[in-house]
Amino acid sequence: MRDKKEKTLNALTSGESGGDPVLSDLLRLSHRYEVLNAKIQGVLTPKLQGQVAVAQVKGRTLVLAARSSAWVARAQLEANNVLQAARSAWEAPIDEIKVIVGPDLAR
């Protein structure tokens, strides 16, 4: 078995030969989610910031994960502001928001 030379992250994600297109796509999608979450955190009331976060965009629905059912209720009250922010930050159309109780959110 031949030893393979380690590649840097830049080499793996660049368009150059040997780059991994799947990894590149995942990193781009991850960045899009980070930008979307930052935009949404910016429009939430201070008490709600950090209590909900983007879980996924499924079709035309933005799914937010909340720490508890109480935070779900509060997030639903701010759905209009969140929807406007999401539409400005996401490339594809977003028509609705769904808030679920999700796993413990990292701070």
Side-chain angles (χ1 to χ4, degrees):
M1 183 191 245
R2 204 170 83 189
D3 289 334
K4 290 189 174 185
K5 184 179 175 185
E6 289 185 19
K7 294 183 180 181
T8 65
L9 184 58
N10 285 341
L12 286 171
T13 59
S14 70
E16 302 166 10
S17 69
D20 186 339
V22 174
L23 181 57
S24 295
D25 289 346
L26 286 173
L27 288 172
R28 274 192 292 279
L29 182 59
S30 174
H31 178 71
R32 289 177 59 203
Y33 275 112
E34 288 174 1
V35 169
L36 177 60
N37 191 58
K39 184 83 168 185
I40 288 169
Q41 295 299 318
V43 299
L44 295 174
T45 57
K47 283 190 174 186
L48 194 54
Q49 290 173 357
Q51 302 302 323
V52 297
V54 173
Q56 70 174 331
V57 176
K58 188 172 185 178
R60 297 170 77 109
T61 302
L62 169 63
V63 181
L64 299 176
R67 291 183 182 272
S68 70
S69 57
W71 293 117
V72 168
R74 285 188 167 191
Q76 289 170 334
L77 294 174
E78 297 187 33
N80 286 336
N81 289 339
V82 171
L83 185 58
Q84 289 177 359
R87 286 177 173 159
S88 71
W90 198 251
E91 295 170 8
I94 295 178
D95 296 330
E96 64 179 331
I97 293 177
K98 180 178 180 180
V99 187
I100 61 171
V101 176
D104 194 24
L105 303 172
R107 285 204 176 234

